[in-house]
Amino acid sequence: QVQLVESGGGLVQAGGSLRLSCAASGRSFRFSVMGWFRQAPGKEREFVAALVASGSYTRYADFVKARFTISKDNAQNTVYLQMNNLKPEDTAVYYCAAGAPDLHVEARRYTYWGQGTQVTVSP
């Protein structure tokens, strides 16, 4: 069992940065693929980034490459999403997810989900 709690969302101007955190509990955290998804109003939940348990391999959606970085600190049981050069179209609720068998982009492949944190980017 893994429990996930996101934080770090907020309001930022275009071009600004935010760092999202996902605090995980449960002893399976160290062995779990972790990912970030987002959902804007009226849109489906979409994949943002994911990394394997060791943190050695990552996968990103094309629209965030070179702007977002996913990382993890196993000692702190925390996964991060550093978001730079934010754009208004990045506005969404961002969700942390865990438990996929690989670096999958489909939300249905992830077993555990956090409650989400709102990110709003103003023009």
Side-chain angles (χ1 to χ4, degrees):
Q1 187 76 15
V2 176
Q3 294 179 328
L4 307 172
V5 178
E6 303 97 332
S7 60
L11 174 64
V12 64
Q13 289 187 329
S17 299
L18 284 174
R19 188 176 79 158
L20 305 183
S21 299
C22 173
S25 62
R27 57 181 185 170
S28 59
F29 168 79
R30 291 175 60 87
F31 309 100
S32 176
V33 170
M34 304 288 294
W36 286 95
F37 287 74
R38 69 185 188 184
Q39 188 167 18
K43 295 187 177 181
E44 293 187 353
R45 192 167 297 190
E46 63 179 353
F47 172 79
V48 176
L51 81 173
V52 298
S54 67
S56 300
Y57 295 97
T58 58
R59 185 174 185 178
Y60 294 93
D62 287 342
F63 57 79
V64 301
K65 280 183 179 178
R67 296 192 300 128
F68 293 6
T69 302
I70 188 171
S71 62
K72 70 184 306 192
D73 184 338
N74 281 330
Q76 298 295 324
N77 284 358
T78 302
V79 173
Y80 303 98
L81 185 68
Q82 177 67 44
M83 305 186 295
N84 299 325
N85 191 22
L86 283 161
K87 305 175 181 180
E89 51 264 41
D90 293 320
T91 295
V93 177
Y94 283 71
Y95 295 91
C96 179
D102 206 334
L103 294 172
H104 290 285
V105 301
E106 302 91 350
R108 63 182 178 85
R109 301 304 298 265
Y110 291 76
T111 304
Y112 306 105
W113 292 85
Q115 82 289 349
T117 184
Q118 176 71 46
V119 171
T120 303
V121 184
S122 62

